[in-house]
Amino acid sequence: MNSTKLIKIGIAGFAFAALLGGCSSSDTTGTTGSSGGAPGSGGASSSGGSTGSGGASGSGGATGSGGAPSSGGSTGSGGVNGSGGSSGAAGAAAGASGHAGQGGQAGDTGAAGHAGSGGSSGSSGGAFALTSMHQAEGAHFDSKYTCQESPPLSGKSVGGLQNGINPDLEWTNAPAGTKSFAITFLDTTLIDAGMDQYGNHWAAWNIPATVMTFPEGTATLSGELATAKQSGTFLAPCAQSLMNNMDDQYAFTIYALSTATLNVSGTGVAQARTALTAAMTAGQVLGTAVLHGHAGLKGM
């Protein structure tokens, strides 16, 4: 009985010990599980990946916008010396528009150039000149301005005296104080040879100072030339013989006079030339201008 009781007590002790060992091992496992769970909470470090949201420091990259110092690059625009500088800060449009005002000052420089246009007064002070749209200086006369005019307005045969019309005449830059003009047309080849009676072709005088043209083919003085006088119908080049087989030389000469009228005692070219010589002696001729031309036998 005692041995049986001892056996039961031993079995019971063994069972109790086994029970205690089982409890111990399950606690250890549970602990491991709870510590293993800790890494799971440590996985909260992934929520700590809120550090990624902390990457809001990337938005803190707004510091880049805080790179408003680049707008401070408007200092570059402050480089008003460079027009491109104004484009550096588009936002500084107000300032740029202010610079445009300065650009307006450059326009003032242009205005200074306007003073150059005042140089037109220089042209008014140029040389007194006589020209023609249809008779170049020193050129051969066109046939219609000689007795070779065809068909002749005079009704005479080609090459006859009294054929031909005057070319247009224009003059510019008359001397200050001019009150009238006079014009002569001479065959200078014959005049120089002492044959004035053949070399005197035509003259006009008392032309008002406001007149600056003598129209082509003027036979009768009218309009603004109504108060002027002339020696008669224009006598065109029509040499009846030549010297040394050379063309005769001709000259239109205009005289600017300080008097409103020229004292001509007669109506001929010779009398007009005499009056002009007297006016020159009296200092009444303020200036002259000449237009030359040439033509051959009978205006050819």
Side-chain angles (χ1 to χ4, degrees):
M1 169 140 180
N2 287 334
S3 61
T4 301
K5 187 175 181 178
L6 288 171
I7 291 170
K8 286 182 179 179
I9 290 172
I11 292 170
F14 179 80
F16 180 74
L19 177 63
L20 289 174
C23 290
S24 173
S25 71
S26 68
D27 286 345
T28 304
T29 305
T31 303
T32 305
S34 67
S35 66
S41 66
S45 63
S46 79
S47 70
S50 61
T51 309
S53 67
S57 62
S59 69
T63 308
S65 67
S70 73
S71 70
S74 61
T75 308
S77 70
V80 287
N81 292 337
S83 59
S86 59
S87 64
S97 63
H99 300 329
Q102 291 179 354
Q105 292 176 355
D108 293 340
T109 303
H114 176 64
S117 67
S120 60
S121 63
S123 65
S124 65
F128 187 28
L130 178 64
T131 59
S132 172
M133 292 186 294
H134 300 99
Q135 174 62 36
E137 165 61 23
H140 189 280
F141 282 102
D142 185 272
S143 60
K144 70 176 177 178
Y145 303 133
T146 75
C147 61
Q148 286 296 313
E149 175 193 24
S150 180
L153 294 178
S154 66
K156 297 181 179 181
S157 60
V158 174
L161 291 172
Q162 302 302 323
N163 292 341
I165 62 173
N166 67 276
D168 61 285
L169 299 173
E170 295 84 33
W171 50 95
T172 56
N173 299 323
T178 298
K179 294 184 178 179
S180 70
F181 298 102
I183 303 173
T184 60
F185 180 59
L186 308 175
D187 181 332
T188 58
T189 297
L190 295 179
I191 296 292
D192 292 345
M195 295 185 283
D196 292 27
Q197 69 274 28
Y198 301 115
N200 291 329
H201 276 242
W202 172 80
W205 58 95
N206 295 351
I207 299 171
T210 55
V211 177
M212 293 294 167
T213 63
F214 196 90
E216 178 186 71
T218 298
T220 302
L221 300 179
S222 59
E224 59 184 1
L225 292 171
T227 59
K229 296 182 180 297
Q230 63 179 341
S231 58
T233 303
F234 179 74
L235 181 61
C238 195
Q240 299 302 299
S241 62
L242 297 178
M243 293 184 178
N244 302 316
N245 294 316
M246 300 291 289
D247 282 3
D248 278 14
Q249 302 298 311
Y250 298 84
F252 284 101
T253 303
I254 187 167
Y255 299 79
L257 300 166
S258 62
T259 58
T261 59
L262 182 65
N263 187 21
V264 180
S265 58
T267 58
V269 180
Q271 287 81 15
R273 289 181 63 199
T274 298
L276 286 168
T277 299
M280 292 183 73
T281 301
Q284 297 171 344
V285 175
L286 303 177
T288 62
V290 184
L291 177 65
H292 300 91
H294 62 93
L297 185 65
K298 295 187 177 180
M300 289 187 291

